[in-house]
Amino acid sequence: MKVLKFGGTSVGSSKNINKVINILNSYAQNSKVICVVSAVGGITDKLLLAGRQAQGKDESFKDTFKTIQDTHHSIIKELNPDNNTSILAYAEEKLNELYSLLEGIFLINEISPKTSDKLVSFGELLSSFIIAETMKNRTILASRKNSQELVITNSNFTKAEVDYKVTNANIKTYFESTKENITILPGFIANSTFGEQTTLGRGGSDFTAAIVAAALHVEQLEIWTDVSGMYTTNPKIVKQAYPITTISYQEAMELSHFGAKVLYPPTVQPVLDLNIPIHIKNTMEPEAVGTIISKDTNGISTPVKGISNISNIALLTLQGSGMVGIPGFSKRLFETLSNEKVNVILITQASSEHSICIGIEEKDIEIAKTSIDITFENEIALHKIEPLIVEKNLSIVALVGDNMKNHQGISGKMFSSLGKNNINIRAIAQGASERNISIVINENDVNKALNTLHEAFFESITKQLNVFITGVGNVGERLVEQIKQQKKYLKEHLKINLRVAGLSNSRKMIFDGSGLNLKDWKTDLNNGETASLKGFFEKAKSLNLRNSIFVDVTANADVASLYNNYLRESIAVVACNKIACSSDFSNYKELKRLSLKYNAPFLFETNVGAGLPIIDTLNNLVASGDKITSIQAVLSGSLNFVFNNFNDSTKFYDVVKQAAAEGYTEPDPRIDLSGVDVARKILILARESGVELNLDDIENTSFLSPSGLKSGSVEEFYKTLIADEAHYQSLYASAKANNCQLKYVAKFDDGKASVSLQEIPVGHPFYNLEGSDNIVMFYTERYSQQPMIIKGAGAGADVTASGLFADIIRLGNN
């Protein structure tokens, strides 16, 4: 004999009921089947709504009733298109009873727990009758037995306690005599010893099935629902969640208590002592393996089995010096809540006895606070304890596993993972069994917390990065394309799941917390919402994704001014924008401080050498204990390109225009040619070496003509290049006469820095520097005679994008 239970979704439509009937018919070929069914999906909620409406003198209860009526009529006709008269007649009889009950509630303006139980019982009575009669119409041997005749309880309405002695006897007697292969039972409903209609609490259909299974000592109880078992966490929040194959009774109860909706917690109790396994199956996918809940988990010793959460939690804190060493405070507190039927979900108390913190459902806040304030009125008046502190909009997240106690570092890993993502823990509770670690966090952090913990405990080989990119012009476009191209490689070889969650240019921005589809991202961006720097930040903040990275691919000071906002939200910053790191030293240090405080990396490798590992090399030298004594460098790929292509047969204006056209200069070439860009780069290297400098401290000897320096616009500047050609030719002529090459050189030595155009002689490492290449020579205490040299392409969209990409990957590897 088998006991199967089908939930509201499983019987929520004629299509799903047909699947249920097929499953039952298949099972009945080999053994007798007892099928416990819930009300049609959503009907119990509608019954309660209609009751509240009627109680509140709201005539819209009639509309809600009509919806309930239409739903059942529709299902009956779809299941039985040719023979539905008797089924419709029964349904109409029960619906008329329901309507009369609602009218009575409306007239007396009151609904008692007893009336509420009678009200909600209509759902299961109707669904069980419809399914049984439909099977008979299809010549399937099936009967319906009203569970109210079998399951007997006390009169604790809405959550009645079962009289197991009488109930077990009723069940055994009935099923020993029944001959039908399939018996349909309505779940959830029962009768009291006085013949009153009662219910077993929300989710009670599972309970009914467990009661029957235990009474008959069946081999296995099957719970059929709309998911393929109990998942490692909520699959609606964490896409990577997957079904747990086997789980212990205790683990299942813990997960169910903390929000896993697949199983109603009391269900486990009747079958627990008898070691009857519970198999969670998917009505929509009968072939799926599902989850088996049993005493034996087949030797699987995974320390953490699942992560669950309960939302809409409030935290109540009773504290005060008058509590220390005084017995009875806890008793009075919990007795007060018990008297008001307020369920305490979580408890934590410090060893100092200075405070007691409890978690309850938000709906109970008012009654809990009022009753506690009255109980401790005298102590509050005498300032022995403080008025009750109430915090709302919280959620409990629980890490569950039988084997957690045998593995060191579980809690450390949990708290570390959450801390890295700026998830603040408000309270912690852990039992002596160490089967459950529960924390209270802000409701807004639940999505991030579940994803973070799931990644840490179930996807440790793959790390997800969520990237928000501002500035998708020349370099930004190449970066997006590189991400698109390498996405599969990163996942397979580096175990990094890189998703672009947000994109913005100066006009439009788009977002997708699940990752943008990069196939046609330009079109999507053009159709996006109006761009806003503040709006982009607020959206990245509100999405609250784990391992978030903000990538600045602009040269915009306003964008750079927002770095501190991102870092405070534990959003890492990757930038090729040099403005922030070359701003006032106090701002530079503040960004570094925020990065450390909020565990949000701040990487800016491309500030100096595009894709060259200049800053990374410098940081490694300093971290290893070496000291930088001098730096000599050609740091402008654009200027190197200009002077490598300028000679007495070319015009300076033409070469600068070519550099701009090929993407080597900023849109305003004065930034490059004035030396400001190089000054910023040597300033950043000096600061990373540990020296306090500002941009004004850099000696900048310009090679531009006086009129070029004074130009007020880009257009005017280009005109000066034409007019002052002789000035630039004289620079070239001097270098040629001395058998030298013109290079724009940055120097840092003895705490001072300078940038200037210099004539580089033959044999010098800078002499043969070609194209737009950069070169940096680090002289250190270890490299005092022969410098450490880094050389390579220092400009261009592709190499700059690859430098940004490398910083992103660096974050994924850390």
Side-chain angles (χ1 to χ4, degrees), residues 300-487:
I300 296 175
S301 58
T302 306
V304 178
K305 273 295 180 71
I307 308 161
S308 197
N309 81 287
I310 308 175
S311 295
N312 302 315
I313 295 297
L315 212 55
L316 309 183
T317 304
L318 191 69
Q319 63 183 21
S321 57
M323 295 171 58
V324 180
I326 307 298
F329 271 97
S330 298
K331 174 183 178 295
R332 291 167 63 195
L333 174 62
F334 295 120
E335 193 170 63
T336 298
L337 295 171
S338 176
N339 290 338
E340 299 296 338
K341 298 189 185 308
V342 175
N343 184 38
V344 177
I345 302 171
L346 175 142
I347 307 168
T348 179
Q349 181 175 18
S351 58
S352 65
E353 302 180 44
H354 179 264
S355 67
I356 301 174
C357 185
I358 60 172
I360 65 171
E361 292 183 66
E362 275 193 357
K363 66 180 179 63
D364 293 328
I365 288 177
E366 188 174 337
I367 190 170
K369 178 169 173 35
T370 301
S371 58
I372 292 170
D373 284 345
I374 292 172
T375 298
F376 295 97
E377 183 177 10
N378 185 51
E379 286 86 352
I380 294 172
L382 294 173
H383 301 289
K384 289 185 177 181
I385 63 173
E386 300 172 14
L388 188 71
I389 299 171
V390 178
E391 299 174 80
K392 299 188 291 184
N393 301 318
L394 302 174
S395 182
I396 296 175
V397 172
L399 210 62
V400 174
D402 281 341
N403 290 294
M404 282 165 50
K405 61 185 176 183
N406 299 321
H407 288 75
Q408 294 181 344
I410 296 294
S411 57
K413 187 175 182 180
M414 179 185 193
F415 301 144
S416 174
S417 300
L418 295 173
K420 287 178 180 179
N421 280 280
N422 198 31
I423 298 170
N424 186 36
I425 299 172
R426 313 290 281 275
I428 302 168
Q430 181 174 15
S433 69
E434 299 183 47
R435 183 178 288 120
N436 178 315
I437 305 175
S438 301
I439 59 170
V440 181
I441 63 173
N442 192 293
E443 185 77 47
N444 294 332
D445 287 330
V446 168
N447 188 306
K448 186 196 287 188
L450 292 181
N451 277 279
T452 296
L453 293 174
H454 196 271
E455 181 177 85
F457 290 98
F458 296 99
E459 311 165 46
S460 56
I461 61 170
T462 302
K463 185 172 185 178
Q464 185 179 106
L465 303 181
N466 296 289
V467 178
F468 297 85
I469 303 173
T470 290
V472 283
N474 196 15
V475 175
E477 179 181 337
R478 306 296 174 86
L479 174 61
V480 174
E481 290 301 324
Q482 287 178 15
I483 291 173
K484 177 181 172 183
Q485 176 185 320
Q486 292 300 107
K487 186 175 177 65

Side-chain angles (χ1 to χ4, degrees), residues 72-93:
H72 287 95
H73 282 178
S74 175
I75 288 175
I76 292 169
K77 291 174 181 177
E78 289 171 4
L79 288 171
N80 302 275
D82 301 321
N83 185 12
N84 56 40
T85 305
S86 61
I87 306 177
L88 283 170
Y90 173 85
E92 203 55 39
E93 178 187 337

Side-chain angles (χ1 to χ4, degrees), residues 95-108:
L95 289 165
N96 287 337
E97 288 180 31
L98 169 61
Y99 189 77
S100 297
L101 179 60
L102 289 169
E103 281 191 318
I105 295 170
F106 182 84
L107 289 172
I108 65 173

Side-chain angles (χ1 to χ4, degrees), residues 105-314:
I105 295 170
F106 182 84
L107 289 172
I108 65 173
N109 193 30
E110 189 272 336
I111 180 169
S112 66
K114 181 178 180 179
T115 303
S116 178
D117 273 0
K118 185 173 183 180
L119 177 68
V120 295
S121 68
F122 284 97
E124 274 73 13
L125 289 172
L126 283 166
S127 64
S128 58
F129 183 83
I130 293 168
I131 293 170
E133 293 303 307
T134 299
M135 295 181 78
K136 290 177 184 177
N137 280 347
R138 299 179 185 181
T139 65
I140 299 172
L141 293 177
S143 67
R144 170 181 176 267
K145 178 65 174 175
N146 190 342
S147 301
Q148 293 169 323
E149 299 170 15
L150 302 176
V151 182
I152 306 302
T153 70
N154 63 9
S155 297
N156 185 17
F157 299 103
T158 73
K159 198 171 183 181
E161 295 176 13
V162 177
D163 183 334
Y164 283 103
K165 184 177 181 180
V166 176
T167 298
N168 288 346
N170 289 344
I171 292 170
K172 288 178 182 177
T173 300
Y174 176 77
F175 284 104
E176 282 173 358
S177 61
T178 186
K179 296 179 180 179
E180 283 81 359
N181 275 3
I182 301 172
T183 303
I184 308 297
L185 296 176
F188 177 51
I189 59 176
N191 265 3
S192 74
T193 52
F194 302 104
E196 306 153 313
Q197 293 188 41
T198 59
T199 62
L200 303 177
R202 292 302 301 267
S205 292
D206 286 354
F207 200 5
T208 302
I211 292 166
V212 174
L216 298 175
H217 293 260
V218 299
E219 291 184 2
Q220 182 170 276
L221 166 63
E222 295 186 5
I223 306 292
W224 289 75
T225 181
D226 59 348
V227 292
S228 299
M230 297 188 80
Y231 277 66
T232 47
T233 192
N234 188 341
K236 294 180 181 178
I237 295 177
V238 181
K239 303 303 181 186
Q240 292 77 28
Y242 55 86
I244 306 166
T245 307
T246 60
I247 190 170
S248 73
Y249 292 119
Q250 289 78 13
E251 289 169 328
M253 284 193 290
E254 291 279 4
L255 286 173
S256 299
H257 176 68
F258 283 95
K261 303 300 183 184
V262 174
L263 187 70
Y264 183 55
T267 298
V268 178
Q269 200 57 52
V271 297
L272 179 61
D273 294 334
L274 298 175
N275 288 332
I276 297 173
I278 302 173
H279 197 173
I280 310 295
K281 297 277 286 179
N282 189 347
T283 307
M284 316 310 159
E285 296 180 39
E287 69 284 352
V289 174
T291 299
I292 295 178
I293 305 168
S294 65
K295 184 177 180 180
D296 180 15
T297 57
N298 297 325
I300 296 175
S301 58
T302 306
V304 178
K305 273 295 180 71
I307 308 161
S308 197
N309 81 287
I310 308 175
S311 295
N312 302 315
I313 295 297

Side-chain angles (χ1 to χ4, degrees), residues 588-618:
Y588 164 81
K589 290 297 290 182
E590 174 65 4
L591 292 175
K592 289 278 191 171
R593 185 190 71 81
L594 292 173
S595 174
L596 287 173
K597 180 178 179 179
Y598 293 99
N599 196 34
F602 176 34
L603 301 182
F604 42 90
E605 183 66 77
T606 51
N607 275 199
V608 174
L612 295 177
I614 296 172
I615 294 176
D616 187 50
T617 301
L618 172 57

